Amino acid sequence: MKDVITIDGPSGSGKGTIARRLAKKLGYQYLDTGALYRAVAWKAVQDKIDINNKDALNTILGNIKITFEDDRVLVDGKDISSEIRTGEIGELSSQVSAIPLVRTALFNMQRDMCLKGNVVIEGRDTGTTICPESENKFYLDAAVEERARRRFRELNIKDPGITMEQTIEDMKKRDLRDSSRESSPLTKTNDMVYVDSTGMEIDEVVSFIKNNLNLN
Ligand code: DC
């Protein structure tokens, strides 16, 4: 499967920006799988449910309608693109994503996009679980300090009280949870091209991936 490009990696590695830009260049669709987990976490907060309450979580998963319009994420028709990019939702989405019933519920939508092809999919398990047949798999990484710096710049706009030290700590905690959970953990496999974007410009990373694609 050559027309599916998967990009996995830890938080703040730049997957979203890179994948979106690459998709635009190739004329492909773009799927931000993290936004799905963030949307479920956002809904849990809205409905004031405890994510450990399986029945309540199942009700959410059975009813939630997540759609994408251009670069926006909608839940039941409401644009939540900005509301899901907070430290609180980032942390809760990581917790939610470790629950197997959540992963099962969100699998089909992601798998359907993979089967349609012409898509760049990014997340934590896109090359291992969502689209293991892809022949264009990348693992995007960067030093934790640099990833935290990028995330800090985003979060600080909404929450001026947040510190760099706190951002690094939160990121390490989230990395550990995302890569050590039982269900589809973040993993780098031998068939993924490893890209360390520390010190690289966005366009350099996009060009590197584009030059390493196997599309024919
Ligand atoms: O990439 P992100 O920060 O928007 O992802 C939010 C959380 O969702 C992340 O901490 C782990 C989870 N996630 C996942 O488990 N599997 C994916 N394919 C994408 C994200």
Side-chain angles (χ1 to χ4, degrees):
M1 197 180 271
K2 295 191 173 177
D3 61 350
V4 177
I5 298 159
T6 65
I7 305 180
D8 290 307
S11 54
S13 57
K15 302 180 304 288
T17 311
I18 305 290
R20 187 177 289 117
R21 225 174 261 198
L22 181 67
K24 211 160 254 171
K25 274 192 187 229
L26 296 169
Y28 280 19
Q29 296 280 101
Y30 160 60
L31 178 61
D32 168 5
T33 62
L36 302 174
Y37 296 95
R38 286 174 182 265
V40 172
W42 176 86
K43 184 73 177 154
V45 172
Q46 290 295 302
D47 292 1
K48 298 188 173 55
I49 74 132
D50 174 356
I51 60 165
N52 297 308
N53 177 342
K54 275 194 177 168
D55 289 340
L57 199 54
N58 258 326
T59 304
I60 285 187
L61 292 166
N63 294 310
I64 194 168
K65 200 165 171 295
I66 308 168
T67 47
F68 292 91
E69 269 178 28
D70 300 319
D71 286 346
R72 290 170 304 125
V73 189
L74 283 69
V75 164
D76 305 327
K78 177 181 160 55
D79 183 355
I80 57 154
S81 316
S82 171
E83 289 172 51
I84 59 173
R85 303 284 161 207
T86 63
E88 183 203 1
I89 296 294
E91 169 60 24
L92 194 64
S93 65
S94 170
Q95 292 178 27
V96 154
S97 74
I99 303 171
L101 73 93
V102 175
R103 304 203 74 82
T104 307
L106 296 178
F107 177 80
N108 283 343
M109 178 182 182
Q110 300 173 75
R111 182 72 186 152
D112 286 349
M113 288 280 287
C114 158
L115 293 176
K116 277 193 195 126
N118 278 354
V119 66
V120 181
I121 307 183
E122 56 96 352
R124 304 291 188 292
D125 64 343
T126 65
T128 50
T129 305
I130 303 302
C131 205
E133 316 92 315
S134 162
E135 289 169 60
N136 284 298
K137 300 185 190 181
F138 294 85
Y139 187 96
L140 191 57
D141 206 355
V144 68
E145 293 76 15
E146 177 148 337
R147 293 191 285 111
R149 249 195 314 277
R150 295 171 185 167
R151 194 43 50 89
F152 177 73
R153 275 199 294 267
E154 270 172 40
L155 296 181
N156 190 241
I157 298 170
K158 286 178 188 150
D159 179 5
I162 197 162
T163 64
M164 185 64 192
E165 288 71 30
Q166 188 60 48
T167 310
I168 294 182
E169 276 319 299
D170 290 350
M171 186 162 264
K172 284 184 178 164
K173 207 167 87 191
R174 188 134 81 90
D175 285 352
L176 182 67
R177 186 187 305 113
D178 293 348
S179 54
S180 62
R181 66 179 179 227
E182 294 229 334
S183 188
S184 297
L186 169 65
T187 319
K188 189 207 156 298
T189 52
N190 288 336
D191 57 351
M192 293 177 184
V193 177
Y194 182 81
V195 189
D196 181 350
S197 72
T198 313
M200 282 173 88
E201 296 293 333
I202 292 166
D203 280 332
E204 274 182 86
V205 182
V206 174
S207 297
F208 177 86
I209 293 182
K210 204 161 167 274
N211 292 336
N212 278 276
L213 290 175
N214 165 23
L215 294 177
N216 303 305

